[in-house]
């Protein structure tokens, strides 16, 4: 039981003004004041006897009290710890993965080309008596070229009338490794020519086709047989006849080329996005729109 | 407490600590020295004092520094401000500022801790190393004196 009377009411008034009374004490005091209304003025005076801080008074030497924080400079921590730059880093990682995939795909294309060459080279060669010289019908040969998608080169015509080569004359070509590959291709045309020769009714053709784009054949590797009658092909001519191209063509279909174009376009867009994001972030840092804390 | 937390405390509490000391001593120069000393000690004790306890630590040091300064100078303000005359229409804030100088230093510091910083009696007892009953008595005497001062001024006006 809280007893408030004339001997202690001021203490309760002070504690009430300071907010230090509990609920029971407050109720008891308010009841006492209600019973003694002439004390309300005194309660108001105690309430007014409180100081209010002057906010205009400030301490002006705060900078002297502050300590230097360890500096963390450099763009790397800024990039790694910035929320915006996290996305840029992720985008850059994705771009690297895409580029790596593109390079891998490109290499795979070259490997496929090489495998194809090896398969051609590993096929058993068919040595036919007339395999050294291939006489085909140009129309048939052209058709075969179109169907097989291989690259062949038409070499200058060896016309017997112009060069005095008899129909039985042949240019024996030594079976070097390079030539063996060409022989394989020759077989195909030989067959075609044989199949069509009867229809053509003429074994003597005016054009000779030779496999190209397989390997470079050096003129020194070409050996002219002594059976050549009254005609020798100058080494320079042979060099001109043999295609110097060694370049292997990647075996990519249209779908792969289309995919590569899409990848290239997306990588370019991604790099532009990353660059613009970094530029905007640096501008904001320079303009102090973004504060970086570590 | 690291450098960053310490600097934040400087920015947040330096003004409040300065007002408290300046109002207690009535001298901005003395208050400046005490504020510097408080933060210097806080910095030296930064390994032991957490940021949450830093405010109480600062006001404890400031309170002790004020008491020491009072004792060193043996400076006791007169019961009433010398030559002060209450002008008509003066505001309550001005009257209270003057009335504050009429009470003893110990009570003045407690009143300022209560009114400026809003500490409870228990917290004030912890900061000043006094008992709860002592704090209650000091504050009761101070409030009663402030009230009487206000009444006398009203009588004059």
């Amino acid at each position: 039981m809280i007893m408030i009377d004339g001997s202690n009411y001021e203490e309760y008034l002070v504690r009430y003004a300071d907010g230090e009374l509990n609920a029971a004490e407050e109720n008891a005091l308010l009841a006492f004041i209600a019973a003694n209304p002439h004390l309300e003025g005194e309660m108001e005076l105690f309430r007014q006897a409180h100081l209010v801080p002057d906010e205009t008074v400030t301490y002006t030497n705060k900078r002297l009290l502050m300590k230097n924080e360890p500096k963390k400079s450099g763009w790397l921590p800024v990039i790694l710890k910035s929320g915006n730059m996290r996305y840029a880093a992720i985008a850059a990682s994705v771009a690297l993965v895409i580029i790596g995939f593109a390079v891998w795909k490109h290499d795979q294309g070259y490997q496929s080309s090489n495998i194809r060459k090896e398969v051609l080279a590993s096929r058993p060669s068919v040595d036919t008596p007339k395999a050294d010289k291939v006489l085909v019908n140009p129309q048939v040969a052209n058709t075969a070229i179109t169907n097989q998608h291989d690259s062949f080169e038409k070499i200058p015509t060896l016309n017997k009338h112009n060069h005095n080569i008899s129909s039985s004359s042949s240019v024996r070509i030594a079976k070097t490794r390079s030539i063996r590959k060409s022989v394989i291709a020759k077989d195909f045309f030989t067959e075609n020519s044989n199949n069509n020769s009867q229809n053509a009714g003429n074994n003597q053709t005016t054009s000779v086709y030779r496999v190209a784009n397989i390997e470079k054949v050096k003129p020194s590797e070409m050996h002219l047989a002594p059976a050549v009658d009254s005609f020798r092909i100058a080494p320079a001519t042979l060099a001109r006849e043999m295609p110097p191209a060694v370049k292997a063509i990647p075996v990519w279909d249209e779908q792969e080329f289309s995919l590569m174009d899409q990848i290239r376009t997306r990588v370019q867009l991604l790099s532009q996005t990353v660059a613009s994001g970094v530029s905007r972030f640096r501008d904001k840092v320079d303009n102090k729109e973004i504060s970086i804390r570590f | 407490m690291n450098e960053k937390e310490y600097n934040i405390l400087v920015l947040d509490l330096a003004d409040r600590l300065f007002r408290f000391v300046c109002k207690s001593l009535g001298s901005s120069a003395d208050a400046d020295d005490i504020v510097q000393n408080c933060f210097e000690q806080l910095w030296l004790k930064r390994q032991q004092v957490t940021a949450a306890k830093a405010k109480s630590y600062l006001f404890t040091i400031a309170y002790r520094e004020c008491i020491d300064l009072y004792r060193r100078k043996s400076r006791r303000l007169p019961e009433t401000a010398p030559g002060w005359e209450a002008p008509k229409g003066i505001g309550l804030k001005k009257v209270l500022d003057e009335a504050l100088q009429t009470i003893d230093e110990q009570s003045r510091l407690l009143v300022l801790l209560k009114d400026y910083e809003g500490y409870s009696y228990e917290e004030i007892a912890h900061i000043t190393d006094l008992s709860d009953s002592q704090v209650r008595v000091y504050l009761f005497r101070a409030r009663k004196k402030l009230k009487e001062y206000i009444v006398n001024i009203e009588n004059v006006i």
Side-chain angles (χ1 to χ4, degrees):
Chain A
M1 184 65 182
I2 300 171
M3 292 297 295
I4 300 177
D5 51 26
S7 64
N8 62 1
Y9 79 95
E10 286 183 318
E11 180 187 350
Y12 280 94
L13 287 178
V14 170
R15 291 174 57 198
Y16 176 74
D18 285 343
E20 294 287 336
L21 291 181
N22 58 35
E25 291 173 332
E26 187 172 333
N27 291 332
L29 178 65
L30 293 177
F32 178 78
I33 295 298
N36 302 278
H38 64 281
L39 296 178
E40 288 180 356
E42 194 169 1
M43 187 170 69
E44 178 63 19
L45 285 174
F46 276 118
R47 193 188 62 79
Q48 290 180 355
H50 283 74
L51 298 165
V52 178
D54 187 358
E55 300 289 343
T56 61
V57 178
T58 57
Y59 186 68
T60 57
N61 296 326
K62 285 193 279 291
R63 292 292 168 188
L64 297 177
L65 299 176
M66 296 176 72
K67 306 296 181 184
N68 292 328
E69 297 177 21
K71 295 181 179 178
K72 292 181 180 179
S73 59
W75 278 102
L76 185 59
V78 172
I79 289 173
L80 292 180
K81 295 206 173 187
S82 167
N84 293 334
M85 288 301 102
R86 281 199 186 114
Y87 293 111
I90 292 171
S93 303
V94 172
L96 285 176
V97 170
I98 292 173
I99 292 170
F101 173 75
V103 171
W104 173 75
K105 192 69 178 174
H106 189 261
D107 291 343
Q108 198 178 37
Y110 275 111
Q111 287 175 2
S112 299
S113 177
N114 291 331
I115 290 171
R116 186 168 181 165
K117 285 165 59 180
E118 290 176 0
V119 168
L120 282 173
S122 63
R123 280 183 58 183
S125 61
V126 179
D127 292 333
T128 58
K130 294 181 180 180
D132 292 338
K133 184 177 180 181
V134 181
L135 299 175
V136 297
N137 188 328
Q139 294 179 350
V140 175
N142 283 330
T143 305
I145 290 168
T146 305
N147 293 334
Q148 297 296 320
H149 299 289
D150 276 328
S151 177
F152 292 88
E153 182 183 359
K154 182 178 180 182
I155 62 174
T157 302
L158 298 176
N159 192 303
K160 68 175 184 179
H161 301 294
N162 295 335
H163 301 283
N164 295 323
I165 300 176
S166 65
S167 60
S168 60
S169 298
S170 63
V171 179
R172 272 185 67 191
I173 302 174
K175 294 181 179 178
T176 62
R177 183 179 176 187
S178 306
I179 300 303
R180 285 174 65 87
K181 295 174 183 175
S182 63
V183 167
I184 296 168
K186 285 176 184 175
D187 293 342
F188 172 79
F189 294 107
T190 303
E191 293 173 1
N192 285 289
S193 65
N194 290 333
N195 293 333
N196 295 282
S197 59
Q198 292 179 352
N199 297 331
N202 185 10
N203 289 331
Q204 295 177 0
T205 59
T206 55
S207 297
V208 175
Y209 288 83
R210 188 169 292 164
V211 175
N213 294 333
I214 293 182
E215 273 193 27
K216 181 178 182 181
V217 179
K218 296 180 180 178
S220 60
E221 295 176 358
M222 305 295 292
H223 303 287
L224 295 176
V228 175
D229 300 333
S230 67
F231 178 76
R232 289 180 183 274
I233 300 175
T237 306
L238 279 176
R240 189 170 59 247
E241 292 173 357
M242 299 304 295
V246 188
K247 184 178 180 181
I249 301 171
V251 183
W252 281 16
D253 54 16
E254 291 298 327
Q255 186 177 2
E256 288 174 324
F257 276 114
S258 174
L259 177 63
M260 192 62 206
D261 289 339
Q262 291 179 9
I263 292 172
R264 188 184 301 110
T265 304
R266 292 181 183 180
V267 167
Q268 288 175 354
L269 288 173
L270 194 60
S271 62
Q272 291 173 1
T273 305
V274 170
S276 65
V278 170
S279 176
R280 285 201 302 271
F281 178 75
R282 294 189 62 173
D283 291 341
K284 288 185 177 180
V285 170
D286 293 340
N287 297 331
K288 296 183 178 178
E289 295 177 15
I290 296 176
S291 62
I292 301 169
R293 290 185 175 179
F294 295 98
Chain B
M1 183 167 50
N2 54 29
E3 290 88 348
K4 176 186 171 185
E5 293 171 328
Y6 170 83
N7 288 337
I8 292 174
L9 286 171
V10 170
L11 295 174
D12 290 346
L13 298 177
D15 289 339
R16 301 167 72 167
L17 196 66
F18 180 75
R19 286 187 209 111
F20 167 73
V21 178
C22 189
K23 184 62 74 176
S24 301
L25 299 177
S27 168
S28 60
D30 291 338
D32 195 351
D33 293 339
I34 288 177
V35 169
Q36 287 189 36
N37 197 20
C38 289
F39 278 102
E40 185 178 345
Q41 291 193 44
L42 176 64
W43 176 251
L44 294 175
K45 296 283 186 180
R46 66 184 181 279
Q47 301 299 334
Q48 291 82 32
V49 180
T50 62
K53 299 285 185 182
K55 182 186 175 186
S56 175
Y57 182 79
L58 285 170
F59 278 93
T60 301
I61 297 172
Y63 168 80
R64 292 175 184 170
E65 291 274 340
C66 289
I67 295 294
D68 290 343
L69 191 63
Y70 287 141
R71 291 174 181 167
R72 280 201 305 272
K73 293 185 177 180
S74 299
R75 188 176 62 187
R76 228 182 209 300
L77 294 176
E79 290 296 320
T80 57
W84 184 84
E85 293 181 359
K88 289 186 178 180
I90 190 170
L92 179 63
K93 183 176 183 303
K94 187 81 173 175
V95 173
L96 284 173
D97 287 342
E98 295 294 338
L100 189 65
Q101 306 304 319
T102 65
I103 60 179
D104 63 282
E105 293 85 358
Q106 180 79 66
S107 300
R108 188 187 311 151
L109 289 168
L110 268 58
V111 167
L112 290 173
L113 286 173
K114 181 64 182 174
D115 291 352
Y116 274 28
E117 300 304 322
Y119 283 121
S120 66
Y121 285 3
E122 185 180 357
E123 290 170 329
I124 292 172
H126 178 72
I127 290 173
T128 58
D129 201 20
L130 298 172
S131 66
D132 289 353
S133 60
Q134 285 177 305
V135 171
R136 192 179 302 174
V137 169
Y138 276 120
L139 281 173
F140 171 70
R141 291 175 183 169
R143 299 291 185 203
K144 196 170 181 180
K145 210 158 196 175
L146 291 174
K147 185 205 74 169
E148 289 172 356
Y149 195 88
I150 294 172
V151 171
N152 291 334
I153 290 297
E154 286 181 345
N155 291 336
V156 170
I157 293 174

